[in-house]
Amino acid sequence: MNLALHDIVLTYPDGDRRLTALDRVSLEVGAGEFVAVVGPSGSGKSSLLAVAATLQTPDSGRVLIAGQDATAMDGRQRTALRRDRIGIVFQQSNLIASLTAVEQLQAVAHLRGGRPRAVAARAEELLASVGLTDGKQHRRPHQLSGGERQRVNIARALFAEPSVLLVDEPTSALDHERGEQIVSLLSGITREHGTATVMVTHDKAQLGAADRVLEMVDGRLAQPAAA
Ligand code: ADP
Ligand code: MG
């Protein structure tokens, strides 16, 4: 199992009490599986992704990434696991304003210590695979549309060949048609790269592309009432 969450509880400080954001959540996602998570605002969807991304440490429960228990690791081991195994695409594209699309990917590769020539070729190849060609791979974020920026984010997340791909409302800034294109791109990537993909979305029209749809309600994960 590429991603396994076992009985996760996550709380946040809330005045003199604690707010339970994740209430005994379990989830297993295999290689090549595309899971969509829906649910109202504040139900815990982003918290779920943050725990799966090993960015938030749960109060209790276990997080396994490609069989490795992230909750048993120290901070350094967890950072290495995240860098090597997990691709993350957040709602806002957190691209660096001064860098071209190719350079965004190179910057990540540099952190991982790749050889420059090979890195540039692979960056171009990945950008082409998400549809950024014809010179667009050499544009900076402000010279790209919202959908194109999200494609750069996705290509960047794939650079390390992750086992797990986590995507938070990737289409919230896009019109319906571009949103559908991004979701079908993610679905194709999941098959081709064999990632365990979890996508949070508010757009019910996108659920057809998913292998499985889960609903988050008050920090609990369940099958939707009417799937
Ligand atoms: P969603 O993504 O479904 O909108 P979140 O996971 O962002 O939900 O939030 C779940 C709950 O946890 C909400 O009540 C939210 O206010 C709270 N929350 C999220 N992040 C924090 C934080 N860093 N500190 C305190 N409370 C938080
Ligand atoms: Mg959210």
Side-chain angles (χ1 to χ4, degrees):
M1 205 55 64
N2 281 23
L3 171 67
L5 304 179
H6 291 313
D7 217 18
I8 299 291
V9 174
L10 177 73
T11 64
Y12 296 112
D14 181 27
D16 49 8
R17 297 192 302 177
R18 308 220 27 117
L19 181 148
T20 302
L22 297 175
D23 188 5
R24 309 198 60 177
V25 168
S26 295
L27 172 65
E28 292 194 341
V29 187
E33 196 183 0
F34 188 31
V35 173
V37 177
V38 296
S41 174
S43 60
K45 304 182 299 299
S46 294
S47 298
L48 176 76
L49 291 189
V51 168
T54 75
L55 291 166
Q56 285 272 7
T57 303
D59 300 38
S60 62
R62 298 203 307 149
V63 178
L64 289 104
I65 307 292
Q68 293 179 272
D69 187 347
T71 37
M73 292 179 179
D74 66 28
R76 253 185 62 187
Q77 292 173 314
R78 205 158 35 234
T79 301
L81 177 75
R82 188 184 315 127
R83 185 192 61 203
D84 294 339
R85 295 290 194 180
I86 304 175
I88 305 172
V89 179
F90 286 129
Q91 190 168 349
Q92 295 100 353
S93 82
N94 45 352
L95 298 173
I96 301 162
S98 60
L99 299 185
T100 68
V102 168
E103 289 165 350
Q104 308 279 349
L105 275 65
Q106 287 174 310
V108 174
H110 179 71
L111 295 175
R112 308 181 74 245
R115 299 218 325 278
R117 263 270 198 68
V119 164
R122 179 161 159 68
E124 295 229 16
E125 193 184 300
L126 271 174
L127 287 167
S129 79
V130 299
L132 280 183
T133 52
D134 301 326
K136 285 187 178 173
Q137 66 272 37
H138 298 300
R139 293 196 195 165
R140 294 184 171 73
H142 74 272
Q143 298 163 317
L144 295 168
S145 70
E148 289 165 346
R149 284 200 288 272
Q150 204 51 294
R151 286 167 193 270
V152 178
N153 271 327
I154 293 166
R156 186 175 58 177
L158 291 174
F159 200 93
E161 296 179 44
S163 311
V164 174
L165 184 61
L166 304 170
V167 192
D168 200 353
E169 306 209 19
T171 65
S172 58
L174 306 178
D175 63 44
H176 181 73
E177 194 187 329
R178 291 214 168 76
E180 280 203 335
Q181 289 168 359
I182 292 289
V183 171
S184 91
L185 174 67
L186 287 167
S187 158
I189 283 169
T190 301
R191 312 275 176 274
E192 261 169 57
H193 294 251
T195 53
T197 304
V198 181
M199 176 186 73
V200 165
T201 182
H202 62 281
D203 188 346
K204 298 240 153 115
Q206 295 172 350
L207 301 179
D211 298 315
R212 195 146 52 104
V213 179
L214 297 170
E215 186 169 22
M216 197 81 183
V217 180
D218 283 343
R220 287 176 164 271
L221 204 51
Q223 308 285 342

